[in-house]
Amino acid sequence: EAGVTQSPTHLIKTRGQQATLRCSPISGHTSVYWYQQALGLGLQFLLWYDEGEERNRGNFPPRFSGRQFPNYSSELNVNALELEDSALYLCASSLGAWGTDTQYFGPGTRLTVL
Amino acid sequence: AQSVTQLDSQVPVFEEAPVELRCNYSSSVSVYLFWYVQYPNQGLQLLLKYLSGSTLVESINGFEAEFNKSQTSFHLRKPSVHISDTAEYFCAVSVGNQFYFGTGTSLTVIP
């Protein structure tokens, strides 16, 4: 069974540009989560999608947005990039939409903002 | 505000020695607790979780964690570590529709 996949592996952008990150969940999983892992800060919860709807978002500005497609894959968009957006962005998926469900993580996309 | 604190960023320990990785959380409501592990060059994966019932939970590779509500802690322990346990360990809390992770503890097992 294929795990969670993310693309691209690396992404280099300049300040002010937009970045689009993609995630494909494990087959059968309906929930997708996005996290930012900046150096020394651990994982910060960004967004949670289930069945195409945004269920919740973390304490991030509106320029961080995303969506979930009918096939449950997801896209994270970061507008007006700032230097501090440089981080590893992790996507996870789970079978259900409950806080008890195990999350399965992808390998991440390393975003570098110059 | 909710938060998760992992008190030790790095823990070196000799092979076959016991280890405890500490995790404390702040929440006034019921939570679900998790430990995730990231082995070198691999993605994060679940090690164990506490949802309800017995406060002591175990993993298949010998780790255990105990939920202590009064101390708001969920420390991870193993009586005898192996070289293969070298990894980054993350404590996580699920409360409401939010998820909070600690900053991680890097466990290094020394031969």
Side-chain angles (χ1 to χ4, degrees):
Chain A
E1 179 184 274
V4 176
T5 59
Q6 294 185 243
S7 63
T9 305
H10 294 90
L11 189 57
I12 300 175
K13 295 285 186 178
T14 56
R15 198 167 46 182
Q17 285 189 314
Q18 178 195 33
T20 299
L21 289 65
R22 297 180 176 83
C23 172
S24 291
I26 290 172
S27 177
H29 286 192
T30 62
S31 275
V32 171
Y33 313 81
W34 287 96
Y35 294 89
Q36 182 194 67
Q37 188 176 19
L39 199 61
L41 293 180
L43 277 75
Q44 305 290 316
F45 169 64
L46 262 168
L47 289 160
W48 175 15
Y49 291 97
D50 182 69
E51 298 282 1
E53 301 287 330
E54 182 180 300
R55 290 297 182 114
N56 209 349
R57 63 182 294 128
N59 188 25
F60 280 84
R63 57 190 186 83
F64 286 84
S65 65
R67 52 181 171 166
Q68 187 177 33
F69 300 99
N71 66 354
Y72 303 116
S73 67
S74 177
E75 198 173 84
L76 174 68
N77 294 292
V78 187
N79 295 318
L81 284 165
E82 299 178 2
L83 296 179
E84 53 264 34
D85 296 333
S86 294
L88 181 68
Y89 289 83
L90 293 172
C91 170
S93 72
S94 70
L95 192 59
W98 302 103
T100 57
D101 282 4
T102 298
Q103 296 184 26
Y104 295 82
F105 286 81
T109 292
R110 174 74 62 185
L111 173 64
T112 302
V113 183
L114 303 175
Chain B
Q2 323 291 345
S3 69
V4 178
T5 303
Q6 291 185 244
L7 297 166
D8 307 297
S9 60
Q10 295 186 11
V11 173
V13 62
F14 286 103
E15 191 175 15
E16 298 184 4
V19 71
E20 178 180 79
L21 307 184
R22 296 178 291 171
C23 173
N24 288 87
Y25 66 93
S26 63
S27 176
S28 57
V29 298
S30 295
V31 299
Y32 303 114
L33 298 158
F34 305 78
W35 275 99
Y36 282 85
V37 60
Q38 187 171 27
Y39 297 106
N41 301 313
Q42 295 186 31
L44 275 162
Q45 56 189 281
L46 180 73
L47 185 61
L48 47 77
K49 62 182 178 182
Y50 169 78
L51 304 181
S52 65
S54 172
T55 57
L56 185 66
V57 290
E58 299 177 354
S59 72
I60 58 174
N61 59 349
F63 281 93
E64 63 180 29
E66 185 161 20
F67 169 54
N68 188 318
K69 188 175 182 179
S70 62
Q71 296 185 3
T72 60
S73 67
F74 191 55
H75 301 332
L76 182 70
R77 301 184 182 95
K78 189 170 184 179
S80 176
V81 295
H82 301 290
I83 296 291
S84 59
D85 293 325
T86 293
E88 188 89 15
Y89 292 80
F90 293 89
C91 180
V93 168
S94 169
V95 54
N97 281 339
Q98 289 275 354
F99 304 93
Y100 303 89
F101 279 74
T103 51
T105 297
S106 178
L107 174 65
T108 301
V109 180
I110 305 164

